[in-house]
Amino acid sequence: MKKVLVTGGAGFIGGNFVQYMVNKYPEYQIYNLDLLTYAADLTKHKNIEEKENYHFEKADIADREVMMRLFDKEKFDFVAHFAAESHVDRSITEPGIFVQTNVLGTQVLLDAAKEYKVSKFVHVSTDEVYGELDFDPTTFFTEETPLQPNSPYSASKASSDLLVRAYHETFGMPMNITRCSNNYGPYHFPEKLIPLTISRVLNNEKVPVYGDGKNIRDWLHVLDHCSAIDLVMHEGVNGEVYNVGGHNERTNLEVVQTIIKTLDKSEDLIEFVTDRLGHDKRYAIDPTKLEQLGWKPTYTFETGIAQTINWYLENQWWWEQIISGEYQQYFNKQYKL
Ligand code: NAD
Ligand code: TYD
């Protein structure tokens, strides 16, 4: 039996990971710790609430006293650290909370993990810490690419990566850092490009595309990210960084066009809007190191986006409750569409 702490397990990727682990490892105890910010939602875990190997704790990772007490009580074997402020646009308007949660929160967790001797701390990071690539399709981010974050979000994630590394070098903390490309899939909060586009197209509303729409992202289905974290948690070589990605590069315009076409709607819904400040041109992952550990994605972009669009069609109740609330104020302030 292993005890696994999943931070941010009420969010998009952490939430998918909690479901994945609870079902795959009935002999493990899975603890979901989440502050329940605007990005969280617990209704997604209704199906596992009663399971004996699932536990939920509402708490702030930056609350040192609470973290120390929890680690003392539970003596976790593994930590999978997802909790974070995760949206680049919000980091441009409100950077402070990104430092508070992503940097200071991670440092508090590291102290607790060190004090109570966890056997593996998996820090879930992002390819955005590497900065941007140009449009030359033969260049990729490897684990050796220098960290050159451009947004307050990616700068806060890079800072947390460096702290995790330092706790390994200084205190011998057993850890891995994973740096994944853009995820998509079920329960993705509709502030991000793919769920925002699906929900707006379904409602026949304009879809805001920043700049000329030619920026490139490398898309990975969230379940392929979950299997990567699972593998790294169990098999990752102590102290190593692993990039996660499936070679699914698309321009933003291609992504939006694919969704519009699948839903049989008109491209007149596309509205080119003022570009994001400091908008990274291109992300693209070289996943060779993780593949050598035995990881293989199961979705192509085509199969993954079709599955995801279907999910949003079948689970309209989930995203409609989100976009009708506080989200609407955020959207109006952000876009003025
Ligand atoms: P998300 O915004 O959907 O979820 C984040 C979760 O963390 C929320 O449930 C929120 O309530 C919780 N949280 C925030 N502050 C907290 C705090 N102080 N204490 C406890 N919980 C707190 O994010 P996501 O898209 O699921 O991303 C999860 C992780 O994966 C992040 O660390 C992100 O940097 C990383 N990542 C994301 C992507 C992506 O495409 N979304 C890609 C690579 C890496
Ligand atoms: P996003 O989903 O916010 O992820 P990230 O910024 O972490 O890559 O954005 C993905 C891409 O889509 C990015 O290049 C910005 C662009 N984008 C738009 O064009 N319009 C939008 O409304 C949003 C949210 C993003």
Side-chain angles (χ1 to χ4, degrees):
M1 195 273 276
K2 301 275 184 211
K3 284 191 174 185
V4 184
L5 175 68
V6 181
T7 71
F12 165 47
I13 310 174
N16 276 282
F17 186 71
V18 163
Q19 292 276 329
Y20 173 101
M21 292 296 285
V22 163
N23 292 313
K24 179 164 177 191
Y25 297 105
E27 73 280 17
Y28 284 17
Q29 294 295 319
I30 309 299
Y31 292 75
N32 170 10
L33 183 152
D34 199 295
L35 182 58
L36 301 182
T37 69
Y38 80 92
D41 153 62
L42 278 180
T43 61
K44 63 177 70 135
H45 295 319
K46 279 250 167 294
N47 61 329
I48 53 171
E49 251 172 23
E50 305 298 323
K51 291 214 176 200
E52 276 175 14
N53 70 334
Y54 173 71
H55 312 269
F56 174 71
E57 188 84 25
K58 180 174 184 228
D60 184 347
I61 53 165
D63 189 331
R64 181 170 293 273
E65 219 180 289
V66 171
M67 287 308 108
M68 287 295 177
R69 215 180 310 129
L70 182 69
F71 275 70
D72 185 24
K73 179 165 162 243
E74 303 296 349
K75 308 281 187 310
F76 300 114
D77 297 284
F78 298 140
V79 175
H81 176 33
F82 294 86
E85 288 295 330
S86 68
H87 192 35
V88 173
D89 289 330
R90 290 188 193 247
S91 82
I92 294 168
T93 50
E94 210 187 327
I97 186 69
F98 285 73
V99 175
Q100 170 66 24
T101 295
N102 301 0
V103 186
L104 298 176
T106 299
Q107 194 253 325
V108 168
L109 269 186
L110 285 167
D111 277 345
K114 167 173 153 288
E115 178 80 17
Y116 294 100
K117 300 189 172 37
V118 304
S119 42
K120 177 65 73 69
F121 189 99
V122 180
H123 180 60
V124 181
S125 191
T126 162
D127 60 355
E128 302 191 27
V129 298
Y130 297 124
E132 65 176 356
L133 295 164
D134 61 24
F135 292 112
D136 171 1
T138 63
T139 56
F140 297 96
F141 293 136
T142 72
E143 290 79 4
E144 273 69 51
T145 303
L147 302 190
Q148 286 186 319
N150 292 320
S151 71
Y153 163 66
S154 53
S156 69
K157 292 296 292 187
S159 307
S160 61
D161 287 21
L162 294 179
L163 280 169
V164 176
R165 186 192 130 82
Y167 272 61
H168 174 72
E169 296 296 325
T170 306
F171 306 114
M173 162 88 73
M175 66 78 169
N176 290 117
I177 297 171
T178 58
R179 297 190 178 130
C180 190
S181 61
N182 285 62
N183 282 211
Y184 67 97
Y187 296 112
H188 202 183
F189 195 85
E191 66 187 349
K192 308 277 170 58
L193 179 69
I194 287 184
L196 182 142
T197 301
I198 300 173
S199 56
R200 291 189 67 84
V201 169
L202 282 172
N203 282 338
N204 296 308
E205 290 168 326
K206 292 275 188 192
V207 177
V209 173
Y210 295 156
D212 58 10
K214 296 210 171 101
N215 300 56
I216 291 174
R217 295 295 182 263
D218 186 357
W219 294 97
L220 188 73
H221 192 278
V222 64
L223 290 181
D224 286 327
H225 190 186
C226 291
S227 70
I229 304 283
D230 176 16
L231 178 69
V232 168
M233 181 182 277
H234 290 96
E235 309 285 343
V237 176
N238 185 13
E240 292 295 310
V241 175
Y242 294 95
N243 283 351
V244 190
H247 286 299
N248 296 301
E249 287 182 53
R250 297 288 184 283
T251 67
N252 294 335
L253 195 53
E254 283 167 342
V255 168
V256 171
Q257 285 168 331
T258 302
I259 294 168
I260 288 176
K261 187 154 181 254
T262 309
L263 290 171
D264 206 15
K265 297 285 174 101
S266 159
E267 287 194 12
D268 292 346
L269 289 175
I270 296 172
E271 176 105 359
F272 291 96
V273 300
T274 311
D275 209 353
R276 173 186 279 174
L277 296 175
H279 195 174
D280 284 336
K281 285 201 266 301
R282 173 173 166 257
Y283 304 144
I285 284 276
D286 175 353
T288 308
K289 186 171 169 184
L290 186 65
E291 285 169 354
Q292 283 166 353
L293 198 66
W295 177 79
K296 237 183 23 215
T298 55
Y299 289 92
T300 62
F301 186 69
E302 285 64 37
T303 58
I305 196 72
Q307 183 266 1
T308 301
I309 292 171
N310 258 333
W311 188 89
Y312 277 81
L313 276 167
E314 284 167 7
N315 293 276
Q316 215 133 332
W317 65 272
W318 180 79
W319 52 268
E320 274 183 346
Q321 49 152 10
I322 294 171
I323 62 171
S324 61
E326 186 192 320
Y327 173 89
Q328 202 53 55
Q329 282 169 18
Y330 160 80
F331 190 91
N332 294 341
K333 204 164 148 217
Q334 177 70 21
Y335 293 100
K336 301 176 190 70
L337 271 187

